Amino acid sequence: MVNCPVCYNSFDKGDYKGLSEHMISEASESNYEHVSWLNRNISKDRLGGDELEKKISRFYSLESKGIKRWIIDNFVLNFRGENPHPFILGMQKYDENLLKGYAVEHHHFLKQWIKSCAYVIAKSDFDDIHDYEMENIMTEMQGFGNRKPSHHELLIRMGISLGLRREEILNSTPLETTMRAIRTWEKIAEKKTWIEIMAAMHSLELVANRDLNRYGAKYPYFNPEILKDMGVKQEVKNFLREGYEADVSHSYVALDIIEKYAEKENLEDIQSAYLNSARVFGEYMEARIERGEMYKNKQ
Amino acid sequence: MVNCPVCYNSFDKGDYKGLSEHMISEASESNYEHVSWLNRNISKDRLGGDELEKKISRFYSLESKGIKRWIIDNFVLNFRGENPHPFILGMQKYDENLLKGYAVEHHHFLKQWIKSCAYVIAKSDFDDIHDYEMENIMTEMQGFGNRKPSHHELLIRMGISLGLRREEILNSTPLETTMRAIRTWEKIAEKKTWIEIMAAMHSLELVANRDLNRYGAKYPYFNPEILKDMGVKQEVKNFLREGYEADVSHSYVALDIIEKYAEKENLEDIQSAYLNSARVFGEYMEARIERGEMYKNKQ
């Protein structure tokens, strides 16, 4: 099955004709989201039916590369390429309001994150996957004792160092955009297979991957000068450094697992789950900016 | 909703009339499993419709006790009371074949166990529940480094000390009875709410609870003399001791969580999930005996 990456309309496996006709129909009604997805992922030109079908078919084709590389290339294009996500642009300088927005919205992201990872454990039978996801949940939310606080705890401490109260973050209501994204991830976790959930969730970790330059990334997740800046709070450095200093090889483990277990029969399902997730992730990252703006305007 | 504890036929919430009519109809056809459940849980006498309905209604009623105590009382009655489960009887002396059967079948039980616990995390939003289930999965399947092997690892080592090979356990096919029980737990985990899953799974841990005497248990899970017996393999002692020496107060944490979050609206669902699970647990424990017999007959 192939889904429209924008509105999740589903088409038969390999029915790129149906998908391209749907795209043309949406674009002709100037549906902004469909047009914007086509511009970025397929072509900036308005294409005819046959040509669009051919290009969409090529877009989904793995050609000689595997699903891992396909995901990486698409992710770089959408988030860290020539035309990066605005949140990435914002992170090229130290912006306390943006980081406060990050702290609040990302708290909600992480709460859903571990539920999605738990669904992967619940739905799979493989020890390597159970081990991987258990370590992931521990790292993100539980931590390993006092000496190794969780990523979530480091996030909260960053927020506090910037003037937020712990309860303010924990009891916050996520912005509507964040909520919509969370609902999508929840639905993927409930309805889809473990490998689709993994593709949907762990691909998103590429956003902070330091190694993406060799796949064409033009921007780092954040300007690494921030880590050396004397004016930057230690808690901010602790949070950002965690991802920045992670073992690069470790950052591909999930994609390697997906590549190992993917089969011809479910490749398109995996691609669809990834595309749906990446799309709402882009929107969710805008919610971090929006929340940052709210803090800025409050000052 | 109330389910028949034997065949899972479902009736409207509070429809004990429907359930008792169903029981009478099954009993009149001498359906062994329904008769046996009635004998143990309701009455050994063959009762008329009204009287059975009254007794069944009283059976589900919590009266002044909470759901925690209701589960404990029923569990003791079914597994560790005057008429205990045959596996419990078998464990009153040291029986290597029985323990080998335990090792093989319980490997499959634990594989399902952690998936059920992962479903609880996936479906709940409460930190205390996430923390509890994460620790549970770590203890049962992951362990905490070399110095604290998982319960699963201790089980495997017990099997090896009794002459099995690790691969023999890991690659074994569960007996049909075990498989049927696992399918029930899987279905509960997939279809039910987190609190029903918790009631279904964590109630089963009562089987090894050392504290049940004060709730009327007549038999310990195993004869504690085994732990002192010079003729008993150290690995057997290590496995049995793990549960035996667990902090007693810790053994009620899950039931306390269930009592904390249970609401009038879902009490019957929780009771049904527990009853369904306890029933197949009894069958599954017979599979441990059956597998033990197979080892005995091989000698």
Side-chain angles (χ1 to χ4, degrees):
Chain A
M1 197 177 73
V2 57
N3 286 345
C4 169
V6 181
C7 63
Y8 319 138
N9 267 18
S10 64
F11 302 88
D12 286 345
K13 193 163 139 64
D15 182 14
Y16 301 122
K17 189 177 168 63
L19 177 56
S20 62
E21 281 167 0
H22 163 77
M23 283 288 183
I24 285 170
S25 147
E26 294 293 329
S28 72
E29 291 171 26
S30 297
N31 178 301
Y32 164 74
E33 291 168 318
H34 285 78
V35 172
S36 147
W37 188 87
L38 284 172
N39 282 349
R40 194 183 276 263
N41 288 276
I42 306 294
S43 165
K44 287 202 168 55
D45 304 324
R46 183 173 276 235
L47 302 174
D50 281 357
E51 209 177 347
L52 183 59
E53 183 190 338
K54 232 179 273 172
K55 288 226 181 206
I56 284 186
S57 168
R58 199 175 312 140
F59 171 79
Y60 279 96
S61 154
L62 298 188
E63 291 161 8
S64 60
K65 60 192 176 188
I67 180 72
K68 171 185 173 180
R69 182 64 194 262
W70 183 89
I71 288 175
I72 292 173
D73 285 349
N74 185 270
F75 195 92
V76 168
L77 174 72
N78 277 280
F79 292 93
R80 287 177 52 189
E82 297 287 358
N83 183 9
H85 191 283
F87 179 79
I88 303 279
L89 279 182
M91 291 287 279
Q92 301 310 310
K93 58 181 192 356
Y94 182 55
D95 178 342
E96 296 199 344
N97 286 313
L98 185 63
L99 291 168
K100 279 157 86 168
Y102 189 176
V104 171
E105 298 307 310
H106 203 53
H107 157 65
H108 299 287
F109 175 94
L110 285 176
K111 296 285 286 179
Q112 174 56 40
W113 175 268
I114 63 151
K115 292 171 70 179
S116 294
C117 295
Y119 265 115
V120 174
I121 299 173
K123 292 184 173 185
S124 104
D125 282 314
F126 300 107
D127 290 341
D128 54 347
I129 291 158
H130 290 174
D131 294 349
Y132 177 76
E133 294 296 1
M134 280 299 291
E135 202 205 315
N136 195 295
I137 299 175
M138 292 299 288
T139 306
E140 294 297 335
M141 192 57 88
Q142 305 287 118
F144 298 89
N146 286 338
R147 286 178 51 215
K148 201 137 179 37
S150 69
H151 204 62
H152 179 256
E153 176 60 24
L154 293 177
L155 178 81
I156 305 287
R157 290 182 193 174
M158 172 172 83
I160 294 171
S161 79
L162 298 171
L164 301 174
R165 282 171 303 108
R166 182 178 287 270
E167 297 67 34
E168 190 177 347
I169 303 173
L170 298 182
N171 301 333
S172 63
T173 307
L175 289 176
E176 184 47 37
T177 314
T178 300
M179 208 52 235
R180 259 204 319 273
I182 286 174
R183 267 189 234 113
T184 297
W185 290 316
E186 207 163 35
K187 208 168 138 191
I188 290 173
E190 283 172 13
K191 306 283 181 207
K192 302 295 181 181
T193 61
W194 67 262
I195 196 165
E196 290 164 89
I197 308 169
M198 277 194 98
M201 303 315 290
H202 292 291
S203 59
L204 309 181
E205 293 180 298
L206 290 170
V207 78
N209 190 313
R210 257 189 316 135
D211 189 51
L212 289 193
N213 296 356
R214 57 189 182 102
Y215 297 110
K218 303 294 178 208
Y219 290 83
Y221 185 46
F222 60 89
N223 185 339
E225 292 299 314
I226 293 172
L227 295 178
K228 299 182 208 153
D229 189 334
M230 299 287 283
V232 171
K233 301 271 193 313
Q234 189 56 45
E235 288 82 355
V236 174
K237 293 177 182 170
N238 291 347
F239 173 74
L240 292 176
R241 190 182 287 122
E242 176 90 354
Y244 189 73
E245 290 186 349
D247 180 3
V248 162
S249 70
H250 193 74
S251 66
Y252 296 114
V253 172
L255 292 178
D256 289 334
I257 289 177
I258 292 161
E259 189 143 284
K260 174 178 163 189
Y261 290 103
E263 288 170 20
K264 216 175 155 207
E265 287 63 39
N266 63 2
L267 262 182
E268 243 175 35
D269 301 325
I270 295 170
Q271 288 174 304
S272 292
Y274 156 72
L275 288 170
N276 289 173
S277 175
R279 210 187 100 70
V280 295
F281 185 63
E283 295 183 345
Y284 153 69
M285 290 222 299
E286 284 176 29
R288 295 181 184 169
I289 300 173
E290 188 185 339
R291 178 76 73 171
E293 295 285 330
M294 288 161 69
Y295 283 115
K296 192 173 150 194
N297 295 335
K298 256 211 244 169
Q299 285 175 330
Chain B
M1 196 175 72
V2 59
N3 287 343
C4 169
V6 181
C7 62
Y8 319 138
N9 268 17
S10 63
F11 302 88
D12 285 345
K13 194 163 139 64
D15 182 13
Y16 301 122
K17 189 175 170 62
L19 176 57
S20 62
E21 281 168 359
H22 162 77
M23 283 287 184
I24 286 171
S25 147
E26 294 293 330
S28 71
E29 291 172 25
S30 297
N31 178 302
Y32 164 74
E33 292 169 316
H34 286 79
V35 172
S36 148
W37 188 87
L38 284 172
N39 282 349
R40 194 183 276 262
N41 289 277
I42 306 294
S43 166
K44 287 201 167 55
D45 304 324
R46 184 174 276 233
L47 303 174
D50 281 358
E51 211 178 344
L52 183 58
E53 182 189 338
K54 232 179 271 171
K55 287 228 180 205
I56 284 187
S57 167
R58 199 174 312 139
F59 170 80
Y60 280 96
S61 152
L62 298 188
E63 290 160 8
S64 61
K65 61 193 177 189
I67 181 71
K68 170 184 174 179
R69 181 63 194 263
W70 183 89
I71 288 175
I72 292 173
D73 286 349
N74 184 271
F75 194 91
V76 168
L77 174 73
N78 276 280
F79 293 94
R80 287 178 52 189
E82 298 287 359
N83 183 10
H85 191 284
F87 179 80
I88 304 279
L89 280 181
M91 292 287 281
Q92 302 309 311
K93 59 181 192 352
Y94 182 55
D95 178 341
E96 296 199 344
N97 287 312
L98 186 62
L99 291 168
K100 279 157 87 169
Y102 189 175
V104 171
E105 297 306 311
H106 203 53
H107 157 65
H108 299 288
F109 175 93
L110 285 177
K111 295 286 287 180
Q112 174 56 40
W113 176 267
I114 62 151
K115 291 170 70 178
S116 294
C117 296
Y119 265 114
V120 174
I121 299 173
K123 291 183 173 184
S124 104
D125 282 315
F126 299 108
D127 290 341
D128 54 348
I129 291 158
H130 289 176
D131 293 349
Y132 178 76
E133 294 296 2
M134 279 301 290
E135 201 204 318
N136 195 295
I137 299 175
M138 291 300 287
T139 306
E140 294 297 334
M141 193 55 88
Q142 305 287 119
F144 299 89
N146 287 338
R147 286 178 51 214
K148 202 138 177 35
S150 69
H151 204 61
H152 179 256
E153 176 60 24
L154 293 176
L155 178 82
I156 305 287
R157 290 182 193 174
M158 171 172 83
I160 294 171
S161 79
L162 298 171
L164 300 174
R165 283 172 302 108
R166 181 178 288 269
E167 297 66 34
E168 192 177 345
I169 303 172
L170 298 183
N171 301 333
S172 63
T173 308
L175 289 176
E176 185 47 37
T177 315
T178 301
M179 207 53 236
R180 260 204 318 274
I182 286 175
R183 266 189 234 114
T184 298
W185 290 315
E186 204 163 34
K187 209 168 138 188
I188 290 173
E190 283 172 13
K191 307 281 182 209
K192 304 294 182 182
T193 60
W194 67 263
I195 196 165
E196 290 163 90
I197 308 170
M198 277 195 98
M201 304 315 291
H202 292 291
S203 60
L204 308 181
E205 293 180 299
L206 290 169
V207 78
N209 190 314
R210 256 189 316 135
D211 189 51
L212 290 193
N213 296 357
R214 59 188 181 103
Y215 297 110
K218 302 294 177 208
Y219 291 83
Y221 184 46
F222 60 89
N223 186 337
E225 293 299 314
I226 293 173
L227 295 179
K228 298 181 208 153
D229 188 333
M230 300 286 283
V232 171
K233 301 271 192 317
Q234 189 56 45
E235 287 83 356
V236 174
K237 293 177 182 169
N238 291 346
F239 173 74
L240 292 176
R241 191 181 286 122
E242 176 88 356
Y244 189 73
E245 292 188 347
D247 180 4
V248 162
S249 70
H250 193 74
S251 68
Y252 297 114
V253 173
L255 292 178
D256 289 333
I257 289 177
I258 292 162
E259 189 143 282
K260 172 177 164 190
Y261 290 104
E263 290 171 20
K264 217 172 154 211
E265 287 63 38
N266 62 2
L267 261 183
E268 241 175 36
D269 301 325
I270 295 169
Q271 289 174 305
S272 292
Y274 156 72
L275 288 169
N276 289 173
S277 175
R279 209 185 101 69
V280 295
F281 185 62
E283 295 183 346
Y284 154 68
M285 291 221 300
E286 284 177 27
R288 295 181 184 169
I289 301 174
E290 188 184 340
R291 178 74 73 170
E293 295 287 331
M294 287 162 69
Y295 283 117
K296 192 173 151 197
N297 295 334
K298 257 211 244 173
Q299 284 173 334

